[in-house]
Amino acid sequence: HGVNLLFHILNTLLLFSVVRKLGFRVMIAGFVALLFAIHPMHIESVAWIASRKDVLMGFFMFSSWLVYLQFRKTKRWLTYSFSVLLFLFALLSKAQAVTLPLIFILSDYLQVKSWNWKSLYNKIPFLLLSLIFGFVAISGSTFSADKYAVQLSFIDKISYSLIALWVYIYKAILPIQQSAIYPFPEKGSQQFLLQLIVSALLVLGAAWIIIKKFKTRPLVVFALLFFLINAFLTLHIVAVNSSLIYDRFT
C-alpha cells in the first residue's frame, strides 16, 4: 500500500510538471494535479494492491510525456531516446499505455495550435511499439480475460460502451455510490434507454465541437480527444469486462 501511495504522489508531481511544460500557469497546473491526487475515482488504483500496474504505468507514461516535451524544446536525440525507453517501461507495466503516441500528437497540436503530417515522424518508434504491444495484448486476451466477463453481441458492445462513456463522465463530475462492480443496466429497460440516448447525444456533441473548433479552440479539442482516446480502450467495444465500468480505468 505504501509503494502504491508513493507512486501516486510521484504521478501527481509528474502531472503537475507536464501541465506546466504544456505552457499553463502554476495555479492551473496545481489545480489539475490536486484534482488528480484527491479524486475519489482514483482510490481503487492506489488502495487495491493488485492495481500496482495502473500506478506503475502512470508513472512511466507521465515520465515519458514529460521527457518528450523536453525533447520538443531542446531537440536533443538523447532526450528523445530516453522518452522511448520510458514508454517501453509503461507498456511493460500495462498494455493500456499504447495510447501515449496519440497523446503526444495531441500535445503537439495544443502547443503549436495546428497539425500536419510531418509532426508524425518523431512518433514512429512510439507507434511501432504501440502496434507490437497492442497485437500481443489482443492475441493474449483469450487467456487473460476476466472469467466472469459478460458475453455481448456486437450491437450490445456498442450500446454498453456508449453507456459506460456517459457513466465515466458522470462519475468524474459526481463520484458518489462507488462500487467494485457496476452492474450492466438491463437491456431495453428505462435506465438503459435513457443512458443510451444521453450517451449518444454526448458523443455526437463532442464530435461536432471537435470538427467545428479544431482551428479556433485547440484546448477544448485537446481535452475532448484526450478523454475519448484514453477511455476508448476501456470500453466494451475493445475490452471484455464483467462490470459496466471500473473506477481504476479513470
Side-chain angles (χ1 to χ4, degrees):
H1 283 113
V3 173
N4 277 16
L5 180 59
L6 175 62
F7 271 116
H8 186 58
I9 293 168
L10 291 172
N11 288 341
T12 301
L13 296 173
L14 284 167
L15 176 59
F16 173 83
S17 301
V18 165
V19 178
R20 284 287 290 141
K21 210 75 166 173
L22 285 170
F24 292 94
R25 298 193 304 272
V26 171
M27 289 294 291
I28 293 175
F31 175 75
V32 171
L34 179 65
L35 189 63
F36 176 86
I38 67 172
H39 201 291
M41 293 295 279
H42 287 173
I43 290 172
E44 189 172 68
S45 288
V46 182
W48 183 33
I49 299 173
S51 200
R52 171 71 52 79
K53 58 185 177 289
D54 290 311
V55 291
L56 195 62
M57 178 194 73
F59 174 77
F60 287 120
M61 282 185 76
F62 284 142
S63 298
S64 180
W65 193 5
L66 184 62
V67 174
Y68 171 79
L69 291 171
Q70 181 65 20
F71 158 74
R72 276 187 48 81
K73 185 178 179 180
T74 63
K75 304 300 180 183
R76 293 180 60 186
W77 288 99
L78 184 62
T79 306
Y80 176 81
S81 302
F82 188 41
S83 178
V84 174
L85 180 64
L86 288 167
F87 177 49
L88 176 62
F89 290 162
L91 288 167
L92 290 168
S93 303
K94 190 176 182 182
Q96 195 176 335
V98 295
T99 59
L100 190 59
L102 301 179
I103 294 172
F104 288 171
I105 293 170
L106 282 179
S107 61
D108 285 358
Y109 158 74
L110 180 63
Q111 290 187 304
V112 181
K113 307 294 189 288
S114 63
W115 186 83
N116 61 72
W117 287 101
K118 289 182 180 179
S119 66
L120 287 180
Y121 291 154
N122 60 21
K123 315 297 187 303
I124 290 173
F126 295 96
L127 290 167
L128 286 174
L129 283 172
S130 286
L131 286 172
I132 292 167
F133 276 82
F135 176 76
V136 171
I138 292 170
S139 300
S141 62
T142 305
F143 306 102
S144 61
D146 188 338
K147 66 179 179 180
Y148 301 108
V150 177
Q151 298 301 314
L152 302 170
S153 68
F154 181 70
I155 298 298
D156 288 344
K157 284 184 177 182
I158 294 174
S159 300
Y160 283 118
S161 291
L162 285 170
I163 292 172
L165 196 60
W166 151 248
V167 176
Y168 278 125
I169 296 170
Y170 167 73
K171 291 287 184 182
I173 299 168
L174 195 64
I176 59 173
Q177 297 180 325
Q178 290 174 253
S179 175
I181 299 291
Y182 293 87
F184 288 80
E186 185 182 350
K187 189 167 69 170
S189 66
Q190 186 176 359
Q191 180 192 10
F192 174 89
L193 294 172
L194 180 61
Q195 289 186 338
L196 187 58
I197 291 168
V198 171
S199 304
L201 290 174
L202 280 172
V203 170
L204 289 172
W208 183 83
I209 291 170
I210 290 166
I211 294 168
K212 193 78 174 176
K213 304 294 183 181
F214 188 81
K215 291 184 178 180
T216 58
R217 299 294 296 273
L219 180 57
V220 174
V221 173
F222 169 85
L224 287 171
L225 285 175
F226 184 93
F227 174 79
L228 291 171
I229 286 169
N230 284 290
F232 181 74
L233 290 183
T234 72
L235 302 179
H236 306 287
I237 295 173
V238 180
V240 181
N241 301 318
S242 58
S243 175
L244 179 66
I245 71 162
Y246 294 98
D247 286 359
R248 63 186 181 275
F249 285 176
T250 59

